[in-house]
Amino acid sequence: MTDYMTVDDTGVLPRDGTIKLHGPAGFAGMRKAGRLAAEILDALVPLVRPGLTTAALDDVVRQMTLDGGAVPATLGYRGYTHSCCISINHVVCHGIPSEKTLKDGDIVNIDVTPLLDGWHGDTSRMYLVGDVPLKARRLVEVTYECLMIGIEQARPGARLGDIGAAIQRHAEGHRYGVVREFCGHGLGRLFHDAPEVIHAARAGSGPELRAGMFFTIEPMINLGKPPVKLLEDGWTAVTRDRSLSAQFEHSIGITEDGCEVFTASPRGLNKPPYA
Ligand code: MF3
Ligand code: CO
Ligand code: CO
């Protein structure tokens, strides 16, 4: 059974599995947080080149987040000490910024979550470093299609599982693997909240989508098989078979007749190639 609660978009909210239904103030807050998140990803486009360290990119994300009047929600989150996640090649998600340098041919996900005026804008995109082989570029392109096909399902009356079903169908049609260990999530005044948005699901399953729900869709798609493993650092998730992995993430809100994407790029830089 699914519980929903209509919230007034001000006070503290329970983390008890209830799905929050937000009003106009929530949409306004998410619009601002989402826009800042997208502007940060836009600003990284010219910086992602061979030779740069991922720590340097993290510094830019932190500074832009603070300049935008926000704080990085990941900073201090469950012991995480960085302002974004940077996941290269076979890293599925939660790559930790470090002195490692980007190299020609890498595919890189950068995931940012500014917390602005109490609202979380959570988004990630893939970046191509220099000359990327066609096989990897295809994976990136199809992963973006998976995100957008998922978003197309998001409207009142649909089921959450319709999103995962559409994503899984598209990814597996290309013989890619859909990661099961990590999901999208409700968000708003909380960073990770109900519902869990699974990216491989049965159509018609899961909670009904209602106007006012806020959640992310963030499919992780592998060139090889779906399983991941966690590295010793407790954060970095990699593909078990060491195949390449790609991910895109948007934060959305269900409206009366569809959905609003809070984290769309103001400059149209939603996916590579960005040139
Ligand atoms: N931004 C990630 C997400 O999409 C969460 C990162 S949590 C961290 O949900 F601690 F790893 F940064
Ligand atoms: Co997320
Ligand atoms: Co994210």
Side-chain angles (χ1 to χ4, degrees):
M1 210 205 56
T2 309
D3 279 326
Y4 299 84
M5 72 188 284
T6 300
V7 296
D8 71 359
D9 295 325
T10 54
V12 177
L13 295 168
R15 196 185 279 281
D16 60 358
T18 52
I19 294 176
K20 283 78 180 177
L21 302 177
H22 301 270
F27 276 83
M30 287 300 285
R31 222 167 264 145
K32 284 176 71 178
R35 184 180 173 98
L36 176 60
E39 285 172 347
I40 293 167
L41 293 187
D42 284 356
L44 297 176
V45 164
L47 302 178
V48 177
R49 324 180 230 93
L52 202 71
T53 69
T54 55
L57 290 170
D58 188 62
D59 287 341
V60 172
V61 170
R62 185 177 56 257
Q63 199 53 56
M64 279 201 73
T65 306
L66 298 174
D67 288 348
V71 291
T74 55
L75 207 49
Y77 177 80
R78 298 180 180 213
Y80 193 81
T81 56
H82 292 82
S83 300
C84 64
C85 298
I86 304 183
S87 304
I88 304 173
N89 295 337
H90 66 290
V91 179
V92 171
C93 64
H94 302 165
I96 304 172
S98 71
E99 293 309 314
K100 188 180 161 79
T101 56
L102 300 178
K103 54 182 204 325
D104 190 62
D106 284 347
I107 61 169
V108 184
N109 176 277
I110 306 182
D111 189 339
V112 300
T113 314
L115 169 59
L116 180 62
D117 297 337
W119 298 95
H120 292 84
D122 190 5
T123 184
S124 81
R125 293 179 207 155
M126 297 301 294
Y127 297 80
L128 308 178
V129 183
D131 261 329
V132 171
L134 180 62
K135 209 173 61 157
R137 279 186 278 136
R138 278 298 291 159
L139 173 69
V140 168
E141 178 68 26
V142 171
T143 302
Y144 181 75
E145 290 167 6
C146 284
L147 170 60
M148 298 317 286
I149 287 167
I151 289 174
E152 278 171 26
Q153 310 303 314
R155 59 179 170 274
R159 296 296 186 118
L160 201 58
D162 297 344
I163 294 172
I167 290 169
Q168 182 177 12
R169 183 185 159 86
H170 192 63
E172 291 181 354
H174 288 270
R175 305 189 163 279
Y176 296 148
V178 180
V179 170
R180 309 298 206 273
E181 288 89 339
F182 300 95
C183 304
H185 49 91
L187 85 173
R189 298 178 70 78
L190 297 170
F191 185 2
H192 290 120
D193 196 11
E196 207 170 65
V197 181
I198 56 184
H199 301 114
R202 271 211 326 268
S205 68
E208 183 190 43
L209 302 185
R210 298 192 186 170
M213 282 173 69
F214 296 165
F215 56 88
T216 72
I217 305 177
E218 48 182 299
M220 285 141 274
I221 307 296
N222 301 343
L223 198 49
K225 297 206 162 21
V228 312
K229 77 172 191 215
L230 204 60
L231 298 189
E232 311 275 73
D233 60 30
W235 285 104
T236 313
V238 300
T239 53
R240 259 187 193 283
D241 63 9
R242 295 266 157 168
S243 65
L244 292 177
S245 186
Q247 178 180 30
F248 286 85
E249 174 176 27
H250 272 316
S251 298
I252 70 171
I254 302 297
T255 60
E256 293 301 329
D257 59 357
C259 72
E260 177 174 345
V261 178
F262 297 124
T263 47
S265 167
R267 289 162 53 195
L269 304 174
N270 288 297
K271 59 153 179 149
Y274 297 119

